[in-house]
Amino acid sequence: MKLLEERILEDGRVINNEILKVDSFINHQIDVKLLNQVCEELASKFKGIDRVITIETSGIAFAVGIAQCLGNVDVVFAKKSKSLILDDSNVYKEEVKSFTRKTSSQIYIDKRYLHENEKCLIVDDFLAEGNAAIGLISICEQAKAKVEGVAIIVEKKFQGGGQRIIDKGIHLESAAVIEGFKDNKVVFVK
Ligand code: 5GP
């Protein structure tokens, strides 16, 4: 999506060979006008979705935006820490390695908020190695829900997560796809 690519070139900051910071419009301050346009564009690629699934925290705003465009379907976000009132029998859970922290931890979704045969769309802000998205796919599989697709705001293609999702036969759409970083600049896939 040209608008998002232009904004990344203007305001994104390449931190090292791995990380792009987009705090001024996606991850800390959110440009809601841009968010609405990105969400409309991504939502237009999917039909018949019952529920949008994401992971706290940065995916939530985009998941809600896309869910509104899909007819105000419900959103459920996986939690990174388990609430005291939940025991293991009440949750679907999966171990996920954090790309930014390089450590693994459990993510959880309460069984009441994800159901068999529901058509789910997984949404996240970034796709790097694909661990977060694949963890969410695994949780949907545990619930016997159907993963209809994965919608990503910024995919870093060179980190391989996109290919892992495509290899599972899952429909992947990304609003901006980064080929790599060159001299601290973002290079997009043509
Ligand atoms: P993955 O699980 O695909 O390796 O990484 C995706 C998750 O890591 C996203 O949920 C996102 O929060 C975080 N992430 C990965 N790469 C970046 C990045 O370049 N910038 C930011 N801000 N977050 C990232």
Side-chain angles (χ1 to χ4, degrees), residues 146-188:
K146 295 180 183 155
V147 179
E148 294 292 303
V150 174
I152 298 291
I153 312 310
V154 183
E155 175 184 348
K156 290 176 290 173
K157 196 173 180 198
F158 59 100
Q159 290 166 341
Q163 196 56 52
R164 287 175 75 192
I165 289 164
I166 291 164
D167 287 347
K168 284 179 169 288
I170 293 173
H171 176 185
L172 170 67
E173 293 285 347
S174 304
V177 185
I178 296 175
E179 179 86 61
F181 300 143
K182 193 162 186 276
D183 303 326
N184 283 341
K185 294 251 155 32
V186 175
V187 180
F188 292 101

Side-chain angles (χ1 to χ4, degrees), residues 2-185:
K2 203 164 184 314
L3 197 70
L4 178 62
E5 290 184 4
E6 284 170 359
R7 188 62 182 273
I8 290 171
L9 290 177
E10 207 170 296
D11 291 332
R13 284 192 300 128
V14 176
I15 296 300
N16 51 36
N17 280 339
E18 295 195 323
I19 304 270
L20 173 69
K21 266 209 157 212
V22 288
D23 278 14
S24 64
F25 57 106
I26 291 180
N27 284 139
H28 192 22
Q29 173 172 256
I30 300 173
D31 179 335
V32 175
K33 194 170 165 204
L34 178 68
L35 174 142
N36 285 334
Q37 286 165 316
V38 168
C39 289
E40 250 173 54
E41 167 85 11
L42 283 172
S44 72
K45 315 277 187 191
F46 298 94
K47 294 241 150 31
I49 301 296
D50 300 315
R51 183 175 293 271
V52 175
I53 312 285
T54 189
I55 182 166
E56 63 181 359
T57 305
S58 300
I60 297 174
F62 288 90
V64 171
I66 290 173
Q68 285 174 328
C69 298
L70 290 169
N72 296 323
V73 300
D74 284 339
V75 173
V76 61
F77 60 89
K79 296 199 172 201
K80 292 179 180 165
S81 61
K82 198 168 60 174
S83 140
L84 287 176
I85 54 166
L86 292 176
D87 65 48
D88 272 5
S89 63
N90 294 331
V91 293
Y92 299 114
K93 61 175 192 286
E94 191 54 74
E95 176 107 353
V96 167
K97 182 183 146 207
S98 160
F99 184 81
T100 44
R101 287 189 210 96
K102 307 292 179 206
T103 53
S104 289
S105 55
Q106 301 269 5
I107 61 167
Y108 306 88
I109 289 185
D110 188 312
K111 287 184 177 172
R112 289 174 297 177
Y113 309 134
L114 185 56
H115 310 114
E116 190 169 343
N117 288 328
E118 268 181 336
K119 292 184 180 162
C120 294
L121 176 65
I122 290 170
V123 171
D124 205 0
D125 58 343
F126 273 91
L127 180 64
E129 293 173 344
N131 297 309
I134 285 170
L136 292 172
I137 291 168
S138 162
I139 283 181
C140 288
E141 286 168 354
Q142 291 171 40
K144 299 190 174 67
K146 295 180 183 155
V147 179
E148 294 292 303
V150 174
I152 298 291
I153 312 310
V154 183
E155 175 184 348
K156 290 176 290 173
K157 196 173 180 198
F158 59 100
Q159 290 166 341
Q163 196 56 52
R164 287 175 75 192
I165 289 164
I166 291 164
D167 287 347
K168 284 179 169 288
I170 293 173
H171 176 185
L172 170 67
E173 293 285 347
S174 304
V177 185
I178 296 175
E179 179 86 61
F181 300 143
K182 193 162 186 276
D183 303 326
N184 283 341
K185 294 251 155 32

